[in-house]
Amino acid sequence: MPTKTELLDAIREGRVKLAALWVGLTDDEMLRPGLNGDWAVKDLIAHLVFWERRMVEHAPRVVDGERLPSYELDALNAQVYAANRDRALDDLRADFRALLPQIEAMVKGLPDDALDRQLDALDGAALWEFIAGDSSGHYAEHLDALQAWSAQLKAERALTSPGRSSLKLVRRNAVRRKRARENRVTGRIGSRLAR
């Protein structure tokens, strides 16, 4: 069983790994479907935000014996996707950033013995398992797909970027070589005249 510090360290580390994969993507790339079917990176962020918020809201309640609302996972994920489909990317990124302090405050505010309690409200699971399941463990579920999608988007951009096309590079290098030759010739002529 992890301590509060270990649990929070795993959450922070997982969030950093995820965010590092979308850093450097353009907004258009983050809105492009293809991650997990029709999902874009934006949709993944909305998905993670929903589950983290749910965890922050419900963890203290289950400590007090309140049962979690029942749900069918695929249907709930589809509802979350639909509800966030038209939300602005910047709003979702801001929500993701704003949740970490809330998660930290919630975990730190739990009774010291709460993490290892096996709770009836969680069908006998320990509270730390619930928290990890909606945070660090959840991030791990999406990490490989996000890593592959991010790499694909960045590779496609590198191949199609107008500033990186091989024809432009060839032309740019030819112009540079011509200028260098001209500068050498001009330099030689200038030094002869100076004699």
Side-chain angles (χ1 to χ4, degrees):
M1 190 234 25
T3 65
K4 289 181 182 182
T5 300
E6 291 167 339
L7 183 60
L8 287 172
D9 286 348
I11 291 169
R12 289 182 197 112
E13 182 182 320
R15 288 174 126 254
V16 166
K17 284 181 182 178
L18 281 173
L21 293 173
W22 66 63
V23 166
L25 293 177
T26 67
D27 287 357
D28 287 341
E29 289 167 337
M30 290 187 72
L31 299 172
R32 184 171 156 195
L35 170 68
N36 297 337
D38 289 340
W39 281 23
V41 175
K42 180 195 115 167
D43 302 313
L44 175 61
I45 295 170
H47 172 82
L48 295 170
V49 163
F50 170 81
W51 287 102
E52 286 181 335
R53 272 197 186 132
R54 175 184 174 272
M55 178 259 301
V56 167
E57 178 184 333
H58 289 289
R61 293 179 182 175
V62 297
V63 171
D64 293 335
E66 187 178 313
R67 291 194 74 75
L68 293 173
S70 61
Y71 60 88
E72 195 283 310
L73 183 61
D74 291 336
L76 184 55
N77 283 335
Q79 288 174 353
V80 170
Y81 173 81
N84 289 284
R85 192 72 187 127
D86 295 327
R87 286 200 56 208
L89 173 61
D90 286 339
D91 291 345
L92 289 167
R93 284 189 286 221
D95 285 354
F96 183 79
R97 286 188 302 272
L99 267 164
L100 182 58
Q102 295 173 37
I103 293 168
E104 291 171 334
M106 182 273 298
V107 171
K108 290 175 183 176
L110 292 170
D112 288 337
D113 67 337
L115 289 181
D116 64 343
R117 276 194 222 157
Q118 294 183 329
L119 302 168
D120 290 336
L122 297 174
D123 296 324
L127 182 61
W128 75 266
E129 294 173 299
F130 169 69
I131 293 170
D134 282 352
S135 60
S136 56
H138 193 200
Y139 313 146
E141 291 175 25
H142 294 285
L143 196 61
D144 289 343
L146 179 58
Q147 186 171 21
W149 182 238
S150 177
Q152 180 180 333
L153 290 171
K154 289 173 183 176
E156 287 175 6
R157 181 179 353 124
L159 291 174
T160 61
S161 174
R164 300 281 186 235
S165 76
S166 58
L167 182 57
K168 282 192 174 193
L169 287 174
V170 168
R171 287 181 183 154
R172 188 177 305 139
N173 288 337
V175 169
R176 286 180 183 156
R177 284 191 301 275
K178 181 180 177 190
R179 285 184 186 150
R181 279 192 307 273
E182 289 170 355
N183 287 339
R184 284 192 303 270
V185 169
T186 305
R188 279 189 239 135
I189 293 172
S191 66
R192 287 182 189 158
L193 294 174
R195 288 187 204 171

